[in-house]
Amino acid sequence: MRKRNLFYFIPAFILLIPFWMWLAWWLTSKRPLVAAIVDKTVLRPDGQEHISLTWVLNHQRFTKTKQRGYRIDQDYFGFFPLENQQYRIKGLERFTHQQLAQLSRDSDLAYYTDTYGIYRQEWFQSNTPSERSGIIYGGMSRKDVDFLSLMKQNHKLVIAEFNDINSPTDPAVRNQFESTFGVRWTGWIGRYFDSLDTTVNQEMPQWLVRNYKRQHKGQWPFTKSGVVYVSEKDEVVILEEDTHLARNVPQMLASDVGQAKFGLPRRIRYTYWFDVLTYNPRVNQEIAHYEIYPNEAGKRELARFALPTRFPAILMHDAPDYGFYYFAGDFCDNPISMSSAYFRGIEWLAPFAYMTEGLTERKGFFWRAYQPMLTRILEDAYTRKQAKTTRSNP
C-alpha cells in the first residue's frame, strides 16, 4: 500500500512544482526600491525595451511602493502607446527643476533603458518597421541629464545603456552626459546579423542598406552573416563572414571582477545592437569588453575608419559618492515572458530555455549575463538604502 501511495505522490509533487515555486515567490518579503525608469521607445504596451529590468525588479520582490510591484505598462517615464495609433508622452521634459530635485530624492536609482524614440514611419505604418522617418519623440533631453546629475549629487545609482546618448540625442546634451559620467561615444554603433542577404533577412534595416549602396555605387554584395557598423554620419562598414571575419560572432568577455562580483560568464556571444565607447579609467572601471575577430582584410577595413576590435561592454563606477553603470548594448531588450518572473528559483531551470537557441536569439544572454548581473546591482542598491536608513534612524 505504501509503495502504491508513493507511486501516486511523486508524480503529483512534480506536477505541483510550478505552484510551489510561485508560492515561494509570493511568500518572499516585499522590499521597496524606487526606480525611475525612462523608456522613450515603446511601440507596444508589453514594454519590450524595459521588460528585462521590470522582470528582475518583480522577481526579486522589489516594489515601487510598500505593497505594489512594478507594472510594465505604467511605471516608467517616456512614450505610452494607446489604441488607434494614439499615444501619450510623459517624460521628464515637463518637470520643473524643483520637481526633478524631488524625484532625485525620492528615487533610489535611475535606469535609462532606451531613448532612441518613436518615428512616424514605424508608428503610423508599422508594416515597414525597419525604415526611419521624422521623429515623434526621442533622444536624451537636457532635463534628463539634469535629473541624472542630481541623482549623482545625491549619491544615488544611475544605469544607462545603448542608444541613450546616441542619435537622436542632441550633441550638446550628449557632451553634458559624457562629461558628467566619464564616458564618450565614438559616433559608431554596430550589430551582428546572421544573414546580410536582404531577400532573406527581413530585420535588415532599409536605411542601412540604402546608405551603404549610396556610398558604393548601388552595390550590396553580401549574402552571408556579418558584423555591421554604422556611424552618426550614416557611414556603413560591413565585415562579412569569411571575407572579413576569422570568427563570425562578436563575444563579450568579463573581467575577473565581472565574473566574481556579478556572476558574468567569462565569455559569451553578443549578437544584438552595441555602441562603440571610450571611457576615463580614472572614473570608471571596465568589467566586460567586446571583441570582434577580423581577418587581415577585415583589419584593413576597420583601420580605414579607425574602428577598434576591442572596446568596452560594461563600465562601472562603484564608490560611496555615487553608483554608475553603462551597458554598451541593448541589454534590457530580451525576448522573455513577464509571467516567469513570479516563480522563485526559475533561474535554475533557465538553461532548458536556451540550450537549443540559434545565434541571434537572446534568452541565453538574459539568463547567463543580464539577470545575475542586474540582480546583484539591485541587491547592492537595496543594501545601501537599508544601511543609510539605519544610520538616519539609530
Side-chain angles (χ1 to χ4, degrees):
M1 183 65 69
R2 290 181 179 177
K3 289 184 178 180
R4 182 180 300 176
N5 290 340
L6 189 62
F7 176 81
Y8 289 113
F9 174 77
I10 293 176
F13 180 83
I14 293 174
L15 289 173
L16 286 172
I17 285 177
F19 171 75
W20 303 126
M21 293 172 66
W22 172 83
L23 183 63
W25 173 86
W26 188 79
L27 292 173
T28 302
S29 298
K30 297 177 180 178
R31 299 176 292 170
L33 187 70
V34 181
I37 304 168
V38 176
D39 186 352
K40 303 186 180 184
T41 317
V42 185
L43 275 172
R44 298 178 304 275
D46 62 7
Q48 184 62 41
E49 297 295 335
H50 62 271
I51 190 170
S52 299
L53 167 62
T54 308
W55 192 101
V56 175
L57 285 166
N58 284 308
H59 185 64
Q60 297 302 120
R61 288 299 251 167
F62 291 124
T63 56
K64 186 176 177 65
T65 65
K66 287 186 177 181
Q67 294 298 322
R68 187 170 72 80
Y70 283 85
R71 301 174 184 174
I72 197 165
D73 60 341
Q74 296 182 23
D75 296 324
Y76 67 96
F77 299 100
F79 187 91
F80 289 76
L82 303 175
E83 295 181 353
N84 301 318
Q85 296 184 325
Q86 299 298 305
Y87 58 85
R88 181 174 54 181
I89 295 174
K90 295 195 302 181
L92 300 188
E93 294 79 13
R94 61 200 169 100
F95 279 44
T96 65
H97 181 77
Q98 290 75 19
Q99 289 172 322
L100 291 176
Q102 185 62 53
L103 181 62
S104 70
R105 290 191 291 269
D106 293 342
S107 301
D108 298 309
L109 67 115
Y111 192 139
Y112 275 62
T113 66
D114 201 300
T115 69
Y116 177 73
I118 302 294
Y119 290 76
R120 296 185 182 279
Q121 184 76 13
E122 60 185 350
W123 181 249
F124 293 110
Q125 300 180 36
S126 58
N127 59 319
T128 54
S130 63
E131 190 56 273
R132 290 192 298 190
S133 57
I135 192 168
I136 297 175
Y137 176 65
M140 185 174 283
S141 69
R142 193 167 295 279
K143 289 290 183 70
D144 289 316
V145 181
D146 289 345
F147 168 61
L148 294 177
S149 299
L150 287 167
M151 290 290 288
K152 178 182 177 181
Q153 292 172 25
N154 289 333
H155 316 295
K156 301 292 184 68
L157 172 63
V158 171
I159 306 174
E161 65 174 58
F162 167 81
N163 220 106
D164 281 337
I165 57 174
N166 307 349
S167 176
T169 295
D170 182 271
V173 174
R174 179 188 307 141
N175 291 339
Q176 184 181 352
F177 178 93
E178 291 173 334
S179 61
T180 300
F181 292 105
V183 300
R184 189 181 72 82
W185 180 45
T186 64
W188 289 88
I189 63 173
R191 178 179 170 180
Y192 169 82
F193 288 95
D194 61 348
S195 175
L196 298 172
D197 189 335
T198 56
T199 65
V200 174
N201 190 349
Q202 299 304 310
E203 287 194 17
M204 182 64 61
Q206 296 177 24
W207 53 265
L208 186 156
V209 176
R210 184 171 58 249
N211 287 336
Y212 184 90
K213 286 183 175 180
R214 183 183 300 129
Q215 298 158 25
H216 295 84
K217 301 178 180 180
Q219 300 298 308
W220 180 269
F222 310 109
T223 58
K224 301 178 182 179
S225 68
V227 178
V228 174
Y229 291 86
V230 184
S231 80
E232 60 182 334
K233 300 176 182 178
D234 286 332
E235 300 166 295
V236 180
V237 176
I238 308 288
L239 300 184
E240 189 180 27
E241 175 187 352
D242 297 331
T243 308
H244 306 98
L245 291 170
R247 185 172 182 173
N248 298 340
V249 182
Q251 301 281 310
M252 187 179 84
L253 284 75
S255 68
D256 291 341
V257 173
Q259 295 173 66
K261 181 180 175 69
F262 298 104
L264 291 170
R266 187 180 69 85
R267 177 189 296 270
I268 187 172
R269 65 174 182 252
Y270 184 75
T271 61
Y272 207 41
W273 290 105
F274 58 82
D275 44 12
V276 184
L277 296 178
T278 61
Y279 68 101
N280 184 345
R282 292 174 296 180
V283 177
N284 296 309
Q285 179 181 2
E286 182 184 272
I287 61 174
H289 69 273
Y290 296 121
E291 286 194 8
I292 310 295
Y293 302 93
N295 58 23
E296 291 304 316
K299 290 177 182 178
R300 289 193 296 271
E301 189 68 12
L302 291 177
R304 289 179 54 213
F305 297 88
L307 284 166
T309 59
R310 183 194 188 282
F311 45 95
I314 303 171
L315 297 174
M316 173 183 73
H317 178 92
D318 185 19
D321 53 351
Y322 69 98
F324 173 72
Y325 293 86
Y326 192 94
F327 306 150
D330 207 353
F331 285 10
C332 204
D333 181 354
N334 292 287
I336 58 171
S337 168
M338 271 305 302
S339 61
S340 63
Y342 311 117
F343 295 88
R344 189 169 180 84
I346 189 70
E347 56 269 30
W348 301 109
L349 302 177
F352 297 102
Y354 63 81
M355 63 172 51
T356 59
E357 71 176 2
L359 284 179
T360 57
E361 295 181 73
R362 305 191 301 282
K363 289 181 181 178
F365 183 83
F366 172 81
W367 291 111
R368 295 182 61 204
Y370 183 89
Q371 184 268 334
M373 175 180 64
L374 189 66
T375 296
R376 176 60 188 269
I377 292 172
L378 296 181
E379 291 290 346
D380 285 352
Y382 182 75
T383 299
R384 289 175 181 174
K385 175 184 178 178
Q386 292 298 95
K388 184 177 180 180
T389 301
T390 301
R391 289 194 298 270
S392 302
N393 302 290

